[in-house]
Amino acid sequence: MLSDKIWITRKSRIYTEQRLLRKNLISQVLIIYYSSLLVFLTIWNLKYPNDHVNILLVIGSIAVLISSITISSQKYMERALAIRNCYIKLDELFSKADRAQKSQNNSIIEQLESEYTANIINVENHSDYDYLCLRYSLRNNPNTTLPDFKIIDYATYFFEKGWRALVVMFYFILPFAIAFLWKIYSNVSLK
């Protein structure tokens, strides 16, 4: 049914918007985090000059600059806004489609199908992960028309959540790992 299709697309797009907003927030926090670390390391290096730290500061500054440009080019906020506008329009279409289906007005249903296609064609599609999040959120709802949530879906869902969390943790821990490895390398090379 058209109304189900519209509702599923709308809900998946809501998860897409949330994912894009989360990516925007995390990327901005990481840029601030790395920039702050570089500032603190620069101040520390002024007090205790070290040529090796100067090289590390230059490399880190270039990496933060490139990361900032790359993140900026992803336009997470603009994409999230486009997705939001899309799912708001889909909500309106859903109401119309539901009424048309109840009254069995096929000509209006055909017109709404065209509107649905026109609405979603101009905006990026939601990912399989967004659809999986929707299915997970409705896994215990007996009234849903979505496929049953099976063991493999649970495994996929938690794997997807897990690797995303690990990537974020990796980027927060990376400077300390580099400092630790640098310390080990410096101690070994001095002997």
Side-chain angles (χ1 to χ4, degrees):
M1 290 177 64
L2 180 61
S3 60
D4 286 345
K5 186 176 176 181
I6 293 171
W7 187 86
I8 290 168
T9 304
R10 178 185 163 277
K11 291 296 282 185
S12 295
R13 299 287 168 103
I14 290 171
Y15 283 100
T16 303
E17 180 201 25
Q18 290 171 355
R19 178 176 49 83
L20 290 171
L21 292 174
R22 190 169 37 254
K23 278 185 175 182
N24 183 63
L25 176 64
I26 290 169
S27 61
Q28 296 304 317
V29 167
L30 282 170
I31 293 295
I32 292 168
Y33 174 70
Y34 277 92
S35 297
S36 299
L37 287 175
L38 285 172
V39 167
F40 293 137
L41 191 54
T42 301
I43 293 168
W44 180 79
N45 197 43
L46 288 173
K47 179 79 173 159
Y48 307 102
N50 183 326
D51 289 337
H52 295 290
V53 173
N54 285 335
I55 293 169
L56 186 63
L57 287 170
V58 170
I59 293 169
S61 297
I62 292 169
V64 168
L65 174 66
I66 291 169
S67 299
S68 298
I69 292 168
T70 303
I71 288 169
S72 174
S73 71
Q74 295 299 311
K75 300 181 180 186
Y76 293 125
M77 289 300 289
E78 290 175 30
R79 290 167 55 199
L81 183 60
I83 292 286
R84 180 185 193 86
N85 290 336
C86 177
Y87 76 69
I88 288 171
K89 289 177 187 173
L90 287 174
D91 188 42
E92 194 177 307
L93 275 178
F94 169 75
S95 298
K96 291 177 183 177
D98 193 40
R99 284 191 303 270
Q101 285 170 199
K102 286 178 182 171
S103 66
Q104 297 179 350
N105 189 334
N106 290 334
S107 63
I108 292 179
I109 291 172
E110 287 177 20
Q111 177 190 349
L112 292 174
E113 284 177 341
S114 297
E115 283 184 50
Y116 168 76
T117 303
N119 190 14
I120 64 171
I121 204 163
N122 295 323
V123 181
E124 72 180 270
N125 199 6
H126 56 268
S127 68
D128 291 340
Y129 174 69
D130 301 321
Y131 178 67
L132 185 67
C133 289
L134 167 64
R135 287 185 54 222
Y136 179 79
S137 71
L138 296 172
R139 68 192 181 283
N140 296 325
N141 185 341
N143 299 326
T144 185
T145 59
L146 295 170
D148 290 338
F149 212 74
K150 308 236 187 269
I151 300 287
I152 190 71
D153 297 319
Y154 278 102
T156 305
Y157 176 78
F158 288 113
F159 173 77
E160 291 283 338
K161 284 281 190 194
W163 79 258
R164 283 172 167 75
L166 286 175
V167 167
V168 171
M169 284 187 346
F170 168 78
Y171 282 118
F172 278 103
I173 294 170
L174 182 63
F176 299 104
I178 290 171
F180 178 73
L181 293 173
W182 187 282
K183 182 77 171 158
I184 290 174
Y185 173 75
S186 297
N187 288 341
V188 170
S189 64
L190 292 176
K191 293 181 182 179

